Amino acid sequence: MRRWGKLILCASAALFAAGCPKGGQQFSAGIKAENIQDYDTALQFYQKALASDPNNANYKIKVNQIRFEAGESHIKKGLQLREKGDLQGAAGEFQRASTIDPSSAVAIQELRRTLDQINELAHKQDELASGAMDTEGNELAAAPPDLKPLMTAPITLKMANDVKIIFDTIGKFAGINVVYDPDFPARRISVDINNLTLQQALDVVCLQSKTAWKPVTENIIFVYQDTTQKHKDFDEQVVETFYLSNTVQSQDLTEIANGLRQVLNLTKVQQLNSQNAIIVRDTPDKLAIARKLLKDIDKAKPEVVIQVEVLSASTDRLRDLGVLPGQSASLTFTAPGTTSTTSGGTQTTTNLVPLKGFAFGASDYTLTLPGATANFVLTDTTTKIIQNPEIRSVDGQPAKLRVGSRVPIATGSFQAGVGVGTTSVNPLVNTQFTYLDVGVNVDITPRVHPNHEVSMKVAIEVSQVTGTATIGGIQQPIIGQRKIEHDIRLREGEVNILGGLFEKIDTKTVNGWPGLAQVPFIKYLTSDNKGEHQDNEVLIVLIPRIVRLPDWTRANLRGIASGVEQNITTRRESDIRTPNANKPAPAPQAPQQQAPSAPQQPMGGAPQNPGYIPQNGAPAAQTGAQAGMNVQGPRLRFDPASINLVAGQTATLGVSIENVTDLYSIPMMLQYDPSVISIEEVQHGGFLSSGNQEIAIVQRVDKEHGQAMVAATRQPNTPGVTGSGTLLGIVVKALKPGATNLSIVQVNAKDSTGKPLTLLTGESQIKVQ
């Protein structure tokens, strides 16, 4: 018996397993995990169930649904971690969300944003807003030339003279050439600038003189009047094609092109709908702003998935029970006597009732008794409409969903008959039909906000055919309707009940004989009892899920300076800041006449190699020891060559020049020990002003690093000076006991034609007691 029991048990288990669908256990386990919101585990079980039965549609639907839910759960965890400052953990959650649901654009966006924040913290630098492409190596120039002066040291200048002389002075100091518009007028101005870059100095002079400048080459600038016509004549223009990747309709492209015209006063803008591109031709500054604006607005529109849950339940119960007796009777009498009279061929029959011996029998009357109707009717109708669709829509674009049937509704127009003479044609009736969507109709226009909120304009309609009515001989449907229109704003994942309508109707009707209709038990034989119950319930729920957020970066939200109304320009951050030139370390001191002096270096630049050759082709200045046999050549020296001072004492050292020919301008750099002495002032020596000509002296003293940059230049269109004399006077102050050399570490002298001059340099030994 036990063997037979085991055999039966095994057979029953086999039959039970054969009757269950494949993967049923995994599917059940997935449902349990989903109920406790363990979406990762649920997804694993559902995937196993689907692997065991790939053709099961229910498994496929569940896998797709739970994949979305699992991805959303990791996105929420990542946002929470990022708010707490755990960027690494947040990046891991976003990465896992994108792995689980590769279609989730919001997971990729949040991952990219988090990685940007990690890189920003690691490198401590802001995100760059530049969208320009590298065009090195192109055959055609991508933009007008950039100015590259030979000297980048900050400029200090105090001068009152003609504007051309001021421009030329600044140009000589920086090693650039200045050319002018033939219509450029003479104008005397006064400038007082201190520690400015070359571009800042040029902009200040232009602002005071109402002029403008532009680079022609890397070392030539062109100066012209600041008028609208002159800007049209001389401003450089650049043409560039911008390809947009996120515009869908030609209307979007038109809107962007019109926006650029309005904001930047662009006149040459052409949109190419076939290529989804915009071609712009204008000044480089306007194109730079246009490039930034297009980078800001060429973003994929946010998207949202809206889960719509619609539940409509309708119940109609009717009970009609009882016997409905007749409620009226009729009695008709028939007289026993009859008299017939003939008159003019007409015979009249009259019923007479005799007074004598009046009597009548059953044959003399007719009695009609009422009938009775027995009703035993029970009607129970239940209708349920359950819809759970999902709608995915782009930000600002309407989305429509229609689930149900299209019901025809007749509309007719009467056309009168036509005829010829007395002959007529029957009139015709043209019947037309329109179709009405009946079922669940959803119209939603979403607007996604950056703070994970969604505004929606919602119109939801739930309708069904409840009956028919005959109108004009045509049966027309009677449609029951439940409609809701809302403008709401919800957070992502927030469950909101848009409308709940609960309608209950109870009707009770009693029809029968008075008195007997209320007697228990007898009322069912003497009356008809009718009861009707109607119950209608409609529930609509919306749940928004954001799948793509606005991809705005800090660079997109950053504004840029755009100049004035009549002249749109751009500036770099370095153009508006006070210059902070790189300071070279003090050069090692060497005994006079025994070793070469410190190697030359560009002003404000890093030390160069001993074989340094300036950019203008002039050989580096040499000391007297280096010159060897060439002691009779042009040279610079300090007078006196050595001096003794007491702490707090000041003295003036002359910078003398000997045997020079056609000297026009002479920038130089002095170097000393800032802990022993300091340079207080640079005075005019008189050599360059030979012939009673004014000269411009530009100076910048860096007392912290022991450097002084000085430049002396004659007026434009004047010849140079030949001979020997005192060039400058250097006022020094003793700070504390010690010894230092005051050296000329760089000199870039030029003659009146702009050619470099080779000069030998010397040193002055200063001792402080």
Side-chain angles (χ1 to χ4, degrees):
M1 290 297 292
R2 291 182 179 179
R3 292 181 180 179
W4 284 105
K6 292 180 179 179
L7 183 60
I8 294 174
L9 181 61
C10 293
S12 301
L15 292 174
F16 178 77
C20 294
K22 296 180 180 179
Q25 294 181 353
Q26 288 83 358
F27 187 77
S28 300
I31 293 177
K32 293 179 181 179
E34 182 182 1
N35 292 334
I36 61 175
Q37 297 184 354
D38 187 1
Y39 298 117
D40 292 344
T41 304
L43 178 61
Q44 295 177 1
F45 281 121
Y46 288 146
Q47 288 176 338
K48 291 180 181 179
L50 180 61
S52 62
D53 190 3
N55 296 323
N56 193 316
N58 192 21
Y59 293 173
K60 292 181 180 180
I61 293 174
K62 271 298 183 181
V63 167
N64 293 329
Q65 289 180 348
I66 205 63
R67 178 180 286 114
F68 177 79
E69 295 290 345
E72 286 294 314
S73 65
H74 285 287
I75 292 175
K76 291 181 179 179
K77 293 179 182 178
L79 293 175
Q80 293 174 356
L81 291 175
R82 192 170 65 185
E83 290 178 357
K84 295 179 181 179
D86 186 2
L87 298 180
Q88 296 292 344
E93 292 293 339
F94 294 138
Q95 178 68 38
R96 191 169 182 182
S98 62
T99 302
I100 293 175
D101 187 7
S103 65
S104 178
V106 68
I108 299 175
Q109 288 179 355
E110 294 296 345
L111 176 60
R112 187 186 305 116
R113 186 173 302 172
T114 305
L115 292 178
D116 289 340
Q117 294 180 5
I118 294 174
N119 293 333
E120 182 178 358
L121 292 177
H123 300 89
K124 295 182 180 180
Q125 55 179 313
D126 296 333
E127 187 176 355
L128 297 177
S130 174
M133 296 184 297
D134 185 9
T135 56
E136 290 185 0
N138 289 348
E139 182 180 358
L140 299 178
D146 291 332
L147 192 61
K148 295 182 179 180
L150 297 179
M151 302 181 65
T152 59
I155 299 175
T156 298
L157 176 65
K158 184 176 182 181
M159 188 176 185
N161 211 325
D162 185 78
V163 63
K164 287 186 177 180
I165 296 177
I166 296 176
F167 273 118
D168 289 339
T169 302
I170 297 176
K172 292 300 182 181
F173 176 78
I176 62 174
N177 299 321
V178 184
V179 294
Y180 301 93
D181 177 22
D183 298 332
F184 193 85
R187 182 182 295 114
R188 184 179 179 87
I189 64 172
S190 176
V191 295
D192 187 359
I193 56 179
N194 182 28
N195 195 26
L196 298 183
T197 63
L198 173 62
Q199 182 168 346
Q200 290 173 346
L202 293 175
D203 290 341
V204 169
V205 177
C206 287
L207 186 63
Q208 290 186 260
S209 60
K210 296 183 179 180
T211 57
W213 68 276
K214 71 169 186 177
V216 179
T217 64
E218 293 182 348
N219 61 348
I220 299 177
I221 64 172
F222 179 74
V223 181
Y224 54 95
Q225 298 181 68
D226 187 11
T227 62
T228 303
Q229 184 59 42
K230 290 298 181 180
H231 279 291
K232 290 182 179 180
D233 294 339
F234 297 121
D235 283 354
E236 297 285 343
Q237 292 195 344
V238 179
V239 61
E240 187 171 349
T241 303
F242 300 97
Y243 291 93
L244 305 181
S245 58
N246 293 290
T247 54
V248 179
Q249 302 176 353
S250 59
Q251 181 181 357
D252 300 336
L253 206 60
T254 302
E255 183 178 357
I256 293 175
N258 292 336
L260 292 178
R261 292 190 185 97
Q262 184 69 23
V263 173
L264 300 177
N265 294 328
L266 300 178
T267 57
K268 301 177 182 62
V269 180
Q270 178 65 42
Q271 66 183 67
L272 302 178
N273 296 331
S274 60
Q275 300 295 327
N276 208 30
I278 295 178
I279 301 176
V280 182
R281 181 176 182 265
D282 218 298
T283 62
D285 290 332
K286 289 186 178 181
L287 257 67
I289 299 176
R291 189 181 304 111
K292 198 265 182 188
L293 294 178
L294 290 176
K295 184 179 180 181
D296 293 344
I297 63 179
D298 188 22
K299 302 288 185 180
K301 292 184 178 181
E303 296 184 40
V304 60
V305 171
I306 303 173
Q307 295 178 344
V308 184
E309 297 180 1
V310 179
L311 173 61
S312 176
S314 177
T315 303
D316 190 354
R317 295 187 179 91
L318 173 64
R319 188 185 68 173
D320 191 353
L321 181 62
V323 177
L324 179 62
Q327 299 177 355
S328 63
S330 62
L331 180 64
T332 305
F333 291 93
T334 303
T338 301
T339 303
S340 300
T341 304
T342 302
S343 174
T346 302
Q347 183 177 357
T348 303
T349 302
T350 305
N351 295 329
L352 301 176
V353 179
L355 297 176
K356 183 179 180 181
F358 175 74
F360 59 89
S363 59
D364 296 332
Y365 64 89
T366 302
L367 178 62
T368 302
L369 297 177
T373 302
N375 294 321
F376 302 96
V377 178
L378 178 63
T379 303
D380 190 351
T381 303
T382 301
T383 303
K384 290 185 179 181
I385 300 176
I386 301 176
Q387 298 288 347
N388 188 18
E390 290 185 354
I391 302 175
R392 180 163 180 167
S393 178
V394 178
D395 181 69
Q397 299 297 323
K400 297 182 179 181
L401 175 66
R402 300 290 184 266
V403 179
S405 304
R406 293 177 61 84
V407 177
I409 299 177
T411 59
S413 61
F414 181 81
Q415 179 178 351
V418 295
V420 179
T422 59
T423 305
S424 62
V425 181
N426 293 333
L428 302 176
V429 177
N430 294 332
T431 304
Q432 299 175 347
F433 291 88
T434 59
Y435 289 85
L436 184 66
D437 292 321
V438 176
V440 178
N441 302 324
V442 180
D443 294 337
I444 298 178
T445 303
R447 178 71 66 181
V448 181
H449 303 282
N451 59 347
H452 289 264
E453 291 187 357
V454 182
S455 295
M456 293 179 289
K457 184 177 182 63
V458 182
I460 299 180
E461 176 184 334
V462 181
S463 58
Q464 65 273 351
V465 178
T466 59
T468 57
T470 303
I471 301 175
I474 300 177
Q475 284 190 343
Q476 299 283 356
I478 299 175
I479 299 174
Q481 184 185 59
R482 305 289 187 272
K483 188 173 183 179
I484 295 175
E485 293 185 1
H486 275 187
D487 287 331
I488 58 175
R489 181 165 177 166
L490 303 175
R491 289 194 61 83
E492 181 187 10
E494 180 180 351
V495 179
N496 184 72
I497 300 177
L498 288 186
L501 178 60
F502 302 93
E503 181 183 18
K504 293 184 179 181
I505 301 176
D506 291 316
T507 304
K508 185 176 182 180
T509 304
V510 178
N511 191 5
W513 289 348
L516 297 178
Q518 281 78 30
V519 179
F521 300 106
I522 298 178
K523 65 180 181 180
Y524 295 109
L525 301 177
T526 58
S527 64
D528 180 33
N529 294 271
K530 183 179 180 181
E532 184 175 2
H533 173 74
Q534 295 181 358
D535 191 354
N536 296 320
E537 298 180 0
V538 177
L539 186 66
I540 301 174
V541 178
L542 287 185
I543 306 175
R545 307 279 188 180
I546 299 176
V547 295
R548 189 191 301 274
L549 280 171
D551 191 13
W552 298 331
T553 63
R554 181 178 301 178
N556 300 139
L557 302 178
R558 178 178 178 270
I560 57 175
S562 59
V564 297
E565 176 69 21
Q566 299 299 328
N567 186 19
I568 297 178
T569 58
T570 59
R571 289 185 176 184
R572 299 180 180 88
E573 287 289 343
S574 58
D575 296 338
I576 60 178
R577 293 177 178 174
T578 301
N580 185 17
N582 296 327
K583 310 296 190 306
Q589 303 297 327
Q592 189 174 8
Q593 304 297 331
Q594 293 183 6
S597 62
Q600 293 187 13
Q601 61 186 28
M603 284 191 174
Q608 302 293 327
N609 294 327
Y612 166 74
I613 301 297
Q615 296 180 11
N616 57 11
Q622 297 175 336
T623 64
Q626 289 175 309
M629 300 299 295
N630 193 21
V631 294
Q632 300 299 323
R635 59 173 300 189
L636 285 174
R637 64 179 179 83
F638 287 99
D639 188 17
S642 63
I643 187 173
N644 296 325
L645 300 175
V646 179
Q649 182 182 1
T650 60
T652 301
L653 299 178
V655 179
S656 300
I657 190 166
E658 298 176 353
N659 303 323
V660 69
T661 302
D662 194 22
L663 177 62
Y664 179 81
S665 64
I666 179 168
M668 67 181 70
M669 175 182 284
L670 309 180
Q671 190 164 309
Y672 57 92
D673 186 353
S675 64
V676 178
I677 63 171
S678 68
I679 294 180
E680 301 296 320
E681 186 181 357
V682 177
Q683 297 177 350
H684 174 39
F687 177 74
L688 280 181
S689 62
S690 298
N692 298 323
Q693 296 289 337
E694 295 184 2
I695 67 171
I697 296 179
V698 182
Q699 59 179 317
R700 180 181 181 273
V701 179
D702 186 354
K703 296 183 178 181
E704 181 181 357
H705 295 85
Q707 288 182 336
M709 288 170 284
V710 184
T713 307
R714 287 176 59 81
Q715 290 188 13
N717 302 321
T718 59
V721 180
T722 301
S724 302
T726 301
L727 186 65
L728 300 170
I730 309 298
V731 179
V732 297
K733 180 179 180 180
L735 299 179
K736 66 178 183 179
T740 181
N741 288 341
L742 180 59
S743 306
I744 301 176
V745 296
Q746 178 189 353
V747 59
N748 290 325
K750 294 183 180 179
D751 60 15
S752 58
T753 62
K755 295 180 179 179
L757 298 176
T758 303
L759 299 177
L760 306 178
T761 62
E763 296 179 342
S764 176
Q765 293 183 349
I766 302 175
K767 295 182 180 181
V768 179
Q769 297 177 354

